[in-house]
């Protein structure tokens, strides 16, 4: 069964009320009991002193009748208080059911309880005192008793009232608790209502946290934070889709256009081969975009680099530069390696070369022929940074953080005039390679020098 907060609160309120009222009731009950007992004891002692004083002064049967009369007067009609006098001489006896007293032990202070059939089975709380002989009267024992019946009735009535009050109070607390829980949980319903109203086509909507209690506004803020990230990811995805479509459109248009032109009229084998050759270039371009995107998609899923080798980084850098020998010679550009030549790193060699190649490619593309490029190797904590610097136009600071975004190009128009054939995925791949190695990327551009770098684990 699903648990409801309201039910739980109501049950907890009820238990708390029950415990509280029971404790208070028990305390009141014991106070009342003690007070009633004290009251009875006072009553008993007063009567005992009173009669004892009279009996002590009486030594003959004639005057004893006066004592008897006094005791008669002091005995109320309802028999609430009673007197008994016992002794060896029956002339100085008083009270009904005297035989019963032979059976009970009155204790040192003469306190006790006695139940007498002669008095309708009533129980009496008693005190007694021994009175010394005088003249004809032998020593007697005076016993005073008060009926405990009313005492018990009072306690009983009190207990019933208490139980009734406790139950009613618990019921009342449960009702109030239900109401409190309903009112208290109303913001939660409002929140879930708002959350239900959220739709993917209105991703910018947020929960209104300000009107909520503190506890829930934290929840709403956390939820809104999740929505922010979702919205950002969603927008990125949408932009990415648009970019992909845009990137694929140009090579496809070229393919179609070229093919249409080739087919427009009969052509010789040489012409057709040229057309096919140019189609092949476009197709390779398409393949490279698709391959790069597949690679980025895998990296996105958090795939880590495998097949790691510990290498001397400077050697790998050198081997990578060798691939560019032809391009470099052609443009008269030179590359030198700077920094810590003996630094070692744990890398997937193929991925590392791919990343470094992309950086070198960019550096060559963005510098004038004959420039001097530099590849730097620098140790930092437990990472090694590899940077490629080239002289060239400074990139505005606003672009720097976005360079590693997919399809991001600082000057998008260059793409269309045919001078630059990049699709803006090179640096995204550098970042993916760094991510796969648990590394990071950085780009700085100042005073006509641009330096783009990434890090891999090592030291
Ligand atoms: N060394 C550099 N100097 C100046 N601008 C650069 C440099 N490296 C990158 N950029 C800028 O960053 C953009 C993104 O670079 P990236 O390598 O990701 O894409 P690309 O070179 O345009 O295309 P691809 O590398 O996919 O062929 C480039 O278009 C360019 O504007
Ligand atoms: Mg590039």
């Amino acid at each position: 069964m699903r648990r409801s907060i309201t039910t739980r609160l109501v049950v907890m309120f009820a238990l708390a009320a029950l415990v509280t009222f029971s404790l208070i009731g028990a305390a009141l009950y014991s106070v009342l009991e003690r007070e009633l007992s004290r009251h009875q004891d006072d009553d008993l002692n007063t009567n005992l002193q009173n009669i004892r004083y009279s009996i002590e002064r009486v030594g003959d049967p004639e005057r004893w009748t006066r004592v008897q009369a006094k005791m008669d007067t002091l005995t109320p009609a309802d028999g609430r208080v009673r007197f008994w006098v016992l002794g060896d001489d029956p002339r100085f006896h008083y009270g009904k059911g005297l035989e019963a007293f032979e059976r009970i032990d009155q204790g040192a202070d003469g306190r006790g309880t006695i139940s007498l059939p002669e008095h309708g089975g009533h129980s009496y709380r008693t005190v007694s005192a021994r009175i010394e002989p005088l003249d004809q009267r032998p020593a007697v024992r005076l016993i005073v008793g008060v009926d405990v019946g009313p005492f018990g009735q009072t306690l009983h009535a009190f207990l019933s009232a208490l139980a009734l009050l406790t139950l009613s109070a618990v019921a009342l607390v449960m009702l109030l608790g239900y109401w409190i829980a309903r009112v208290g949980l109303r913001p939660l319903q409002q929140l879930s209502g708002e959350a239900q109203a959220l739709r993917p086509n209105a991703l910018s909507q947020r929960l209104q946290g300000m009107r909520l209690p503190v506890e829930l506004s934290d929840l709403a803020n956390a939820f809104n934070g999740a929505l922010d990230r979702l919205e950002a990811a969603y927008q990125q995805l949408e932009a990415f889709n648009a970019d992909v479509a845009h990137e694929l459109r140009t090579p496809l248009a070229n393919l179609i256009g070229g093919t249409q032109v080739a087919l427009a009229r009969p052509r010789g084998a040489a012409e057709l081969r040229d057309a096919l050759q140019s189609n092949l270039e476009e197709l390779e371009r398409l393949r490279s975009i698709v391959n790069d995107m597949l690679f980025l998609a895998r990296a996105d899923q958090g795939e880590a680099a495998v097949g790691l080798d510990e290498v001397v980084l400077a050697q790998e850098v050198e081997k990578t530069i060798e691939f560019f020998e032809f391009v470099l010679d052609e443009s008269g550009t030179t590359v030198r390696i700077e920094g810590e030549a003996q630094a070692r790193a744990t890398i997937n060699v193929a991925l590392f070369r791919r990343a470094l190649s992309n950086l070198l490619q960019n550096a060559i593309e963005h510098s004038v022929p004959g420039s001097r490029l530099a590849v730097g190797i620098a140790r930092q904590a437990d990472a090694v940074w590899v940077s490629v610097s080239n002289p060239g136009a400074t990139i505005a600071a606003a672009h720097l953080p976005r360079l590693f975004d997919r399809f991001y190009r600082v000057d998008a128009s260059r793409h269309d005039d045919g001078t630059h054939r990049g699709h803006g995925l090179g640096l995204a791949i550098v970042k993916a390679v760094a991510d796969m190695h648990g590394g990071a990327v950085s780009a700085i551009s100042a005073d006509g020098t641009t330096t783009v770098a990434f890090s891999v684990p090592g030291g």
Side-chain angles (χ1 to χ4, degrees), residues 117-160:
E118 292 80 0
H119 297 287
H122 284 208
S123 289
Y124 288 87
R125 179 190 184 99
T126 60
V127 287
S128 72
R130 194 187 128 84
I131 301 170
E132 296 306 316
L134 183 73
D135 299 340
Q136 297 172 39
R137 178 176 61 75
V140 290
R141 193 143 66 98
L142 166 65
I143 300 163
V144 187
V146 287
D147 192 351
V148 296
F151 174 83
Q153 275 163 16
T154 306
L155 280 182
H156 187 78
F158 181 74
L159 201 64
S160 317

Side-chain angles (χ1 to χ4, degrees), residues 109-357:
D109 61 348
R111 289 181 188 283
T113 308
I114 181 170
S115 180
L116 296 177
E118 292 80 0
H119 297 287
H122 284 208
S123 289
Y124 288 87
R125 179 190 184 99
T126 60
V127 287
S128 72
R130 194 187 128 84
I131 301 170
E132 296 306 316
L134 183 73
D135 299 340
Q136 297 172 39
R137 178 176 61 75
V140 290
R141 193 143 66 98
L142 166 65
I143 300 163
V144 187
V146 287
D147 192 351
V148 296
F151 174 83
Q153 275 163 16
T154 306
L155 280 182
H156 187 78
F158 181 74
L159 201 64
S160 317
L162 211 59
L164 199 70
L165 269 175
T166 302
L167 286 181
S168 331
V170 168
L172 187 68
V173 167
M174 280 174 85
L175 272 176
L176 283 175
Y178 179 75
W179 180 75
I180 289 171
R182 289 301 296 252
V183 172
L185 292 177
R186 204 169 287 155
L188 200 63
Q189 285 170 346
Q190 174 201 335
L191 190 67
S192 82
E194 277 187 34
Q196 268 166 13
L198 294 175
R199 292 281 173 272
N201 55 7
L203 265 182
S204 52
Q205 271 181 10
R206 292 293 177 267
L207 302 180
Q208 302 301 310
M210 299 86 72
R211 300 201 317 270
L212 293 172
V214 199
E215 296 86 344
L216 286 183
S217 79
D218 284 349
L219 180 71
N221 288 341
F223 193 80
N224 284 341
L227 284 179
D228 286 343
R229 292 189 289 279
L230 258 182
E231 189 187 8
Y234 192 79
Q235 276 171 355
Q236 204 182 343
L237 202 67
E238 280 190 331
F240 183 65
N241 283 343
D243 284 340
V244 169
H246 185 78
E247 282 309 309
L248 296 182
R249 197 168 55 175
T250 313
L252 282 175
N254 291 346
L255 269 175
I256 293 169
T259 310
Q260 277 171 341
V261 168
L263 291 176
R265 58 184 173 81
R267 296 192 189 270
E271 269 182 313
L272 285 177
R273 189 179 299 112
D274 280 352
L276 282 178
Q277 185 62 43
S278 103
N279 277 3
L280 187 63
E281 274 167 28
E282 292 300 339
L283 287 169
E284 270 167 357
R285 199 167 133 71
L286 279 174
R287 182 174 65 182
S288 99
I289 295 180
V290 170
N291 280 347
D292 283 354
M293 282 175 38
L294 282 176
F295 178 81
L296 288 172
R298 283 211 313 276
D300 267 354
Q301 318 226 305
E303 197 174 280
V306 289
L308 300 180
D309 290 315
E310 200 190 307
V311 298
V312 176
L313 216 51
Q315 288 173 6
E316 285 311 317
V317 171
E318 242 168 88
K319 286 183 203 160
T320 313
I321 294 172
E322 276 167 27
F323 279 98
F324 289 86
E325 217 168 353
F326 178 70
V327 191
L328 290 171
D329 283 351
E330 205 179 32
S331 62
T333 304
T334 56
V335 185
R336 64 179 190 285
I337 303 177
E338 296 175 340
E340 301 170 63
Q342 67 287 4
R344 302 175 76 84
T346 313
I347 51 169
N348 174 312
V349 172
L351 291 179
F352 175 80
R353 285 190 186 173
R354 188 167 182 180
L356 184 56
S357 299

Side-chain angles (χ1 to χ4, degrees), residues 357-359 361-363 365-366 420 422-427:
S357 299
N358 286 353
L359 293 188
Q361 225 162 23
N362 284 349
E365 267 169 27
H366 293 94
H420 179 72
H423 18 260
L425 288 176
L427 289 184

Side-chain angles (χ1 to χ4, degrees), residues 357-386:
S357 299
N358 286 353
L359 293 188
L360 285 168
Q361 225 162 23
N362 284 349
I364 295 167
E365 267 169 27
H366 293 94
S367 56
V368 290
S371 298
R372 292 155 61 84
L373 314 183
V375 178
I377 300 174
R379 279 192 276 229
Q380 194 189 71
D382 47 4
V384 186
W385 282 86
V386 179

